[in-house]
Amino acid sequence: MPIKATLSPDGQELTIKVSGRFDFGAHQDFREAYERGGLTPQRFVVDLNDTDYIDSSALGMLLLLRDHAGGDVADIRIIHCNQNVRKVLSISNFEQLFSIE
């Protein structure tokens, strides 16, 4: 499965790991990862270490996650981006909306 969600032991941080292509095909799995079971973590981490492609629908999914997490007050980090993924995020000015590491 290209999307794997892991909740921290204290329930405060949800890590969503995306593998392969992050495109419209991952929409349902990505949404279910952060909406499942009425979870209310305080922080979200999107791990793109194994992501080799990202498109505009993935950017939209990240924005939906941001809305779900509280909008401007959301604590979301995007980590382990390769050079191509980071370029897409940079061109889209996502550094202004997310912490990208």
Side-chain angles (χ1 to χ4, degrees), residues 1 5 9-10 13-14 20 22 33 42 49 51 58 61 67 73 82 89:
M1 178 149 108
D10 66 2
E13 183 172 277
L14 180 68
F22 192 12
Q42 299 300 308
N49 188 57
T51 304
M61 288 182 257
D67 288 344
V73 298
N82 69 31
L89 294 171

Side-chain angles (χ1 to χ4, degrees), residues 1 3-7 13-18 22 26-46 57-70 76 98:
M1 178 149 108
I3 307 288
K4 181 180 178 186
T6 307
L7 190 63
E13 183 172 277
L14 180 68
T15 300
I16 303 171
K17 186 168 182 64
V18 181
F22 192 12
H27 176 76
Q28 188 65 33
D29 290 338
F30 187 77
R31 186 173 176 183
E32 288 174 0
Y34 64 81
E35 288 185 344
R36 69 179 193 188
L39 298 175
T40 56
Q42 299 300 308
R43 298 176 307 279
F44 294 84
V45 176
V46 179
S57 62
L59 299 177
M61 288 182 257
L62 290 170
L63 293 174
L64 289 172
L65 170 60
R66 185 174 184 267
D67 288 344
H68 174 81
I76 303 172
F98 300 92

Side-chain angles (χ1 to χ4, degrees), residues 46 48-49 78-86 89 100-101:
V46 179
L48 301 180
N49 188 57
I78 301 173
I79 62 172
H80 302 136
C81 304
N82 69 31
Q83 185 176 3
N84 292 333
V85 169
R86 185 175 283 278
L89 294 171
I100 301 174
E101 302 171 16

